[in-house]
Amino acid sequence: MTKDRNTAAVATTLLHADRKAGMGHGAVHAPMHSSVLYGYESAETLERVFQGKTPGFTYARQGNPTGAALEAKINLLEDARASIGFATGMAAISATFLALLRSGDHVISSRYVFGNTASVLRTLQGFGVEVSLVDSTDAVHVAAALRPNTRLVFVETIANPRTQVADLAGIGALCRDRCVVFIVDNTLTTPDLFRPRTAGASLVINSLTKAIAGHADAMGGAVSDTGLFDWRLYPNIDPLYQTGDPANWGMVQIRRKGLRDLGGALRPEDAHRIAIGAETLKLRVTQTNANALALAQWLEAHPKVAHAYYPGLASHAQHQRARDLFGGRFGALISFELKPGHDTFKALDALQLVILATHLSDNRTLAIPVANTIFSEMGEAGRATMGISPGLVRLSVGIEDIEDLIADFDQALNAA
Ligand SMILES: *Cc1c(COP(=O)(O)O)cnc(C)c1O
């Protein structure tokens, strides 16, 4: 495991970062720049900015000052050397794949990977990229899938919806030994619980839409470079981008090819809202995680519940790993199944406080039956490999008072 920067000071630094950077008027937030174009006094400066020789902005699809202020905060949260903001988490994932993969390359990901990411991987297969989906809870399965043309390994920290915890340290060590780019989607843990850099990640993905924004009023995504991968060893860096410090090559290619070509630019309004949300990340994560642990324990003990899945439960297959990696907290996502003979939909329809909706890590608690909603395209067999039974319910636990949440589930399960 790599040495980590002191995480304790991050909340303080983040809160005061804009003011200390000198925003003018004593303002505590970076201003929102809505300008699409950026003008220069001389043609020579314009040229230099275009060539990346002088810092600056050209056209908002390739970055803007409001997004850059947020990217600086993501660097701080992830202990990263550079981050790029995108319109959504999926834009960040798609742009990273698009920028780094070529026909004939091989990618290893998890059987349990987020459905939309699995969908992108299927699309890439149509363009000649080879994909292996393996059980990511043990690095031996990743090792067995490695090929000479393996370029990337992509895993998530905690899987949605069955909460499997990937063998992050084992896969990180393997990727380092084999010089393979290791990408970790940290959305479900957030950098407050876990920094993938400590497990050897080369790149980190965050859907900023989820816990980092936190209030369900903005969409965004980010890719961050931890600085651990030597981009001189990556065969797909275009000679155009093999200039300057090799430590920047990967991100230059992702910005120039992934962001520019795909066009999934982060809007300044969203960047501004996400930055405000991020100020309370630690507080919200502390509350959602404490609520989730209490609710998972309550559900597991309920006579109508067959199984509750949450990494914080001693019954969870990767409980000890989660405890070791995530500092004694376990995230905000729970899933559960009722025992045969109880009507799941009746229970869900009886919920009065909890919202029937799809989203994760909002301030409000959400519930969704997953098989015929977010995982319907996957089919019965596909769902079975992910451990998704027909009656599985996913919960995203919010920051409400825990007594109110338990009272709502109590009356809802009585109706089942
Ligand atoms: C939601 C999510 C994404 C995609 O993020 P969007 O901002 O919705 O595009 C990617 N990965 C994980 C693990 C997610 O939960």
Side-chain angles (χ1 to χ4, degrees), residues 88-90 93 114 117 156 185 187-188 207 209-210 219-220 360:
T88 61
M90 285 318 302
I93 292 169
F114 180 54
T117 303
E156 295 158 352
D185 183 334
T187 303
L188 270 288
S207 166
T209 315
K210 309 287 172 56
M219 297 198 88
L360 291 170

Side-chain angles (χ1 to χ4, degrees), residues 27-111:
V28 295
H29 302 140
M32 204 187 72
H33 291 278
S34 59
S35 189
V36 168
L37 67 88
Y38 294 84
Y40 291 90
E41 296 286 324
S42 77
E44 197 195 328
T45 313
L46 182 62
E47 269 188 9
R48 290 186 64 81
V49 172
F50 258 87
Q51 290 169 10
K53 291 175 182 156
T54 296
F57 301 95
T58 55
Y59 182 69
R61 177 155 37 74
Q62 283 141 77
N64 66 75
T66 318
L70 178 62
E71 288 165 359
K73 290 181 176 132
I74 306 298
N75 287 342
L76 194 65
L77 287 167
E78 285 292 0
D79 194 10
R81 69 186 309 281
S83 296
I84 304 174
F86 289 87
T88 61
M90 285 318 302
I93 292 169
S94 297
T96 301
F97 286 152
L98 194 71
L100 296 181
L101 292 169
R102 302 284 175 269
S103 172
D105 287 345
H106 177 234
V107 178
I108 302 173
S109 188
S110 166
R111 282 199 339 224

Side-chain angles (χ1 to χ4, degrees), residues 86-93 113-117 154-160 185-189 205-210 218-222 333 359-361 394:
F86 289 87
T88 61
M90 285 318 302
I93 292 169
V113 78
F114 180 54
N116 297 0
T117 303
F154 183 105
V155 300
E156 295 158 352
T157 50
I158 299 175
N160 161 18
D185 183 334
N186 199 26
T187 303
L188 270 288
T189 23
I205 300 282
N206 279 286
S207 166
L208 306 177
T209 315
K210 309 287 172 56
M219 297 198 88
L333 186 151
H359 185 35
L360 291 170
S361 307
R394 183 185 79 183

Side-chain angles (χ1 to χ4, degrees), residues 347-359:
L348 292 174
D349 291 349
L351 288 166
Q352 310 217 321
L353 182 67
V354 173
I355 307 170
L356 301 185
T358 183
H359 185 35

